[in-house]
Amino acid sequence: MSVPSPLRGPAAAIAYLLATARTNGMRVNRTKLAKLLYLADLRAVERGLPPGSGVEWRWRHHGPHSLRLGEVERDLREAGVILVEESADPFGGNRESVVHLVDAPQLAIDAEFARMVDGVLSDYGRWSAGQLRDLTYQTPPMQEAVQQHRREARLDLAGGPPLPDLGSGLARLRQWAKDHPLPGDEPGGVEDLLEESQDLAEPRAEATRHLLKE
């Protein structure tokens, strides 16, 4: 019997948050899930750590959000890891999607980021989705985006201005590389690179030794 591989990346972050919330009797819908993960990423960056959710945050859907979350949710639903319960308010007509962890999968998640999630759930896990939305609007990345009227902009979790989109530029570079392939018979090209790399080997080693001593 094969053992399933542990969840990694955004799937692991989502599953860990849902498992911790379930242990503490917290109800999590889609909006809360997104805002809590954003706050965990933000807290990690504030402490000099990399964001651990594995998603890109933008100003959309009432605050910070990532379309990647929907893709991961679909994959987890198809794998039977989570169940999404759809409901509607019969009076106000508002719809809600509550996310339940069905399975207890193996997770590969950074221990430091797990502590960020634990802290965010301890502080805000019982807040409503509306309260969390308002809180995230008060964070520096969102304030910068709102101030510059940059809806859909990539949020800089370090609190700086929204980050530029690289997609169109990368697409142009890929097209240029496709239209201008490197010649396969350029004389001396590879040999020159190898010679240069060998010449720099000792300076690189010396620089590394110097850094390790600091």
Side-chain angles (χ1 to χ4, degrees):
M1 179 178 179
S2 61
V3 178
S5 301
L7 297 178
R8 300 178 184 277
I14 289 173
Y16 181 81
L17 189 151
L18 291 174
T20 307
R22 182 176 66 180
T23 299
N24 290 279
M26 298 171 180
R27 188 168 179 269
V28 178
N29 60 26
R30 280 187 183 135
T31 301
K32 284 188 64 170
L33 177 62
K35 304 318 181 218
L36 290 168
L37 272 181
Y38 166 79
L39 291 171
D41 271 352
L42 188 61
R43 183 168 292 191
V45 171
E46 288 172 347
R47 286 159 173 73
L49 302 170
S53 73
V55 304
E56 175 186 89
W57 297 104
R58 293 177 180 265
W59 174 19
R60 55 163 68 108
H61 296 323
H62 308 295
H65 191 72
S66 173
L67 297 180
R68 180 80 176 105
L69 295 177
E71 299 171 358
V72 177
E73 178 193 296
R74 183 189 63 244
D75 293 342
L76 291 176
R77 290 176 73 171
E78 292 176 354
V81 176
I82 66 172
L83 172 68
V84 180
E85 178 186 3
E86 308 280 356
S87 63
D89 182 351
F91 301 102
N94 297 322
R95 300 192 63 82
E96 183 183 35
S97 302
V98 179
V99 187
H100 302 279
L101 186 70
V102 177
D103 199 359
Q106 294 293 318
L107 305 177
I109 185 170
D110 180 76
E112 289 290 342
F113 183 67
R115 280 191 280 273
M116 299 300 107
V117 173
D118 293 342
V120 165
L121 281 171
S122 176
D123 293 341
Y124 309 115
R126 301 191 186 281
W127 287 30
S128 69
Q131 288 174 319
L132 287 171
R133 177 201 61 209
D134 294 343
L135 174 64
T136 57
Y137 265 104
Q138 297 172 29
T139 59
M142 278 299 303
Q143 288 183 335
E144 284 282 350
V146 171
Q147 183 178 354
Q148 298 189 27
H149 306 288
R150 298 280 302 279
R151 187 174 289 275
E152 294 293 322
R154 295 169 58 216
L155 301 179
D156 180 2
L157 298 187
L163 298 169
D165 278 308
L166 302 178
S168 59
L170 288 174
R172 289 195 297 271
L173 284 174
R174 291 192 182 101
Q175 186 60 46
W176 186 92
K178 182 179 178 181
D179 297 337
H180 301 80
L182 293 175
D185 57 351
E186 182 179 352
V190 176
E191 290 78 6
D192 290 344
L193 287 175
L194 288 174
E195 183 178 350
E196 182 180 353
S197 178
Q198 291 168 356
D199 290 342
L200 293 175
E202 181 55 33
R204 282 199 303 268
E206 179 62 29
T208 301
R209 289 192 291 270
H210 177 71
L211 289 173
L212 290 175
K213 291 177 181 178
E214 291 183 348

